[in-house]
């Protein structure tokens, strides 16, 4: 199925026709976003077809159809909440840890998730890593044998033309055939028919390969998606599940339990449940950290621990990922939040405007 591209009539017109009536808040986004520096709407026909047209709170709809809440940026929100700019060591290459790094293959995606932590960076610039960038990354890797793994991400690397994807993957290994590759993608859940046998075969050339699939609600893991994941697994590629905790979408124990259960059924090993990063216009998706911890504790009582992902937070100022359960919180009387790491270091958590719910 075809993804809408930013040049489609559906996007150029102020109010796209999605096959169901829009709510007042959704219409207000499209009416007002034209002039604002807003993250453009982008979806796939497959995802739109999964939405229950009668339910404005449909969990897939809430993830992909923008509302006017997005136009209300908060002071603590940042275009680059993970400070990736500061950790960029070569074009597209971000190193935060000693032993692993990420390589952004493209800034394009099949779907624009409204809460994306890179929404302030993903644009319509149409960046695709070319020969030059891949060469530079490969040379950088050649000088750093301590870097053992490259996470190829974006955007979504699987939306690239297969020949480009192959050139990027093999290019990264040019001087480091030993380097492990991992891919982060949303495509299997956004457009499962694009996960063809040919694509799975191409990917299998880079085994041992691990692919983490972004999905946030059990409704995203329907039969066609399970079949797409099956095509990947049948080629000996290992799959992981990666989700974001989102208010109104999966912030209750029933839904999280169903999500992790469904992930296990379709072969996704639980990996991370991320706390939402403070990207612009995402406050309506924010769940307080204390609530996230409470939910995960509840889910763990129903499940074997091995079936539950790590609830993780990107520490402020590019501090890297930390399991939320490893942090001590200190909530000030004004609602401000300090996080104390095991190492003893303390940081002020930026989304301190979020009021604790208790
Ligand atoms: C998330 C991330 C990684 C991968 O971390 P894992 O914990 O191994 O999933 C590597 N480099 C950067 C810069 C990252 O942000
Ligand atoms: S697919 Fe990933 S990178 Fe693309 S918009 Fe969604 S969360 Fe962001």
């Amino acid at each position: 199925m075809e993804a809408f591209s930013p040049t489609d009539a559906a996007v150029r017109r102020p109010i796209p026709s999605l096959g169901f009536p829009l709510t007042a808040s959704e219409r207000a986004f499209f009416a007002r976003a034209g002039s604002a520096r807003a993250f453009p709407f982008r979806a796939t026909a497959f995802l739109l077809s999964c939405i229950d047209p009668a339910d404005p709170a449909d969990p897939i709809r809430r993830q992909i159809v923008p509302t006017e809440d997005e136009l209300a940026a908060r002071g603590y929100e940042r275009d680059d909440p993970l400070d990736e700019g500061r950790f960029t060591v070569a074009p597209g290459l971000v190193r935060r840890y000693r032993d692993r790094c990420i390589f952004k293959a493209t800034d394009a995606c099949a779907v624009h998730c409204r809460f994306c932590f890179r929404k302030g960076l993903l644009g319509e610039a149409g960046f695709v890593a070319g020969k030059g960038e891949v060469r530079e990354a490969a040379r950088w890797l050649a000088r750093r044998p301590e870097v053992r793994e490259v996470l190829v991400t974006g955007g979504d690397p699987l939306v690239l033309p297969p020949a480009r994807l192959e050139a990027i993957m093999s290019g990264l290994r040019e001087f480091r055939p030993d380097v492990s590759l991992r891919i982060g993608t949303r495509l299997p859940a956004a457009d499962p028919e694009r996960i063809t046998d040919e694509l799975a075969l191409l990917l299998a050339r880079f085994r041992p390969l691990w692919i983490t699939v972004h999905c946030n609600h059990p409704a995203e893991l329907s039969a066609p998606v399970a079949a797409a994941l099956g095509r990947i697994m049948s080629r000996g590629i290992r799959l992981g599940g990666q989700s974001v905790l989102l208010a109104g979408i999966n912030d209750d124990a029933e839904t999280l339990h169903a999500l992790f259960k469904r992930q296990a059924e379709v072969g996704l090993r639980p990996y991370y449940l991320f706390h939402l990063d403070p990207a612009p216009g995402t406050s309506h998706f924010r769940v307080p950290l204390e609530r996230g911890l409470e939910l995960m504790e509840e889910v763990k009582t129903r499940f074997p621990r091995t079936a539950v992902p790590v609830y993780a937070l990107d520490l402020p100022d590019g501090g890297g990922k930390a399991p939320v359960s490893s942090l001590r919180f200190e909530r000030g009387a004004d609602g401000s939040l300090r996080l104390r790491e095991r190492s003893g270091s303390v940081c002020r958590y930026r989304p301190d405007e979020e009021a604790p719910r208790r």
Side-chain angles (χ1 to χ4, degrees), residues 39 107-119 122 153-156 185-187 214 244:
F39 189 44
D107 65 2
C109 296
V111 55
H112 281 172
C113 313
R114 307 317 305 176
F115 46 83
C116 177
F117 72 101
R118 292 203 181 107
K119 74 188 283 202
L122 295 179
T153 165
D156 192 327
T185 181
R186 190 143 170 63
L187 195 64
H214 172 186
V244 186

Side-chain angles (χ1 to χ4, degrees), residues 196-211:
T196 58
D197 282 323
E198 292 71 32
L199 180 60
L201 259 180
L202 181 159
L203 293 169
R205 289 192 36 213
F206 300 97
R207 282 179 319 190
L209 179 67
W210 191 32
I211 298 184

Side-chain angles (χ1 to χ4, degrees), residues 82 84 87 94-97 100-102 118 149 151 182 210 242 271-272 274 314 321:
L82 270 55
E84 290 191 328
F87 291 86
V94 182
R95 184 198 202 177
R96 204 189 303 283
Y97 306 110
R100 58 204 196 277
C101 63
I102 65 175
R118 292 203 181 107
E149 186 187 31
L151 168 53
R182 191 198 317 175
W210 191 32
Q242 205 159 273
Y271 191 46
Y272 280 131
F274 285 114
D314 288 298
K321 300 174 181 69

Side-chain angles (χ1 to χ4, degrees), residues 14 19 112 147 252 274 342:
H112 281 172
V147 176
D252 62 277
F274 285 114
R342 274 216 184 105

Side-chain angles (χ1 to χ4, degrees), residues 260-277:
F260 303 148
K261 186 160 168 277
R262 184 65 187 150
Q263 284 188 0
E265 281 165 11
V266 300
L268 298 179
R269 211 185 101 194
Y271 191 46
Y272 280 131
L273 172 72
F274 285 114
H275 189 70
L276 183 70
D277 294 312

Side-chain angles (χ1 to χ4, degrees), residues 331-346:
R331 186 69 83 173
D334 59 350
S336 70
L337 187 60
R338 282 164 177 282
L339 304 177
R340 187 183 296 273
E341 289 176 71
R342 274 216 184 105
S343 64
S345 67
V346 178

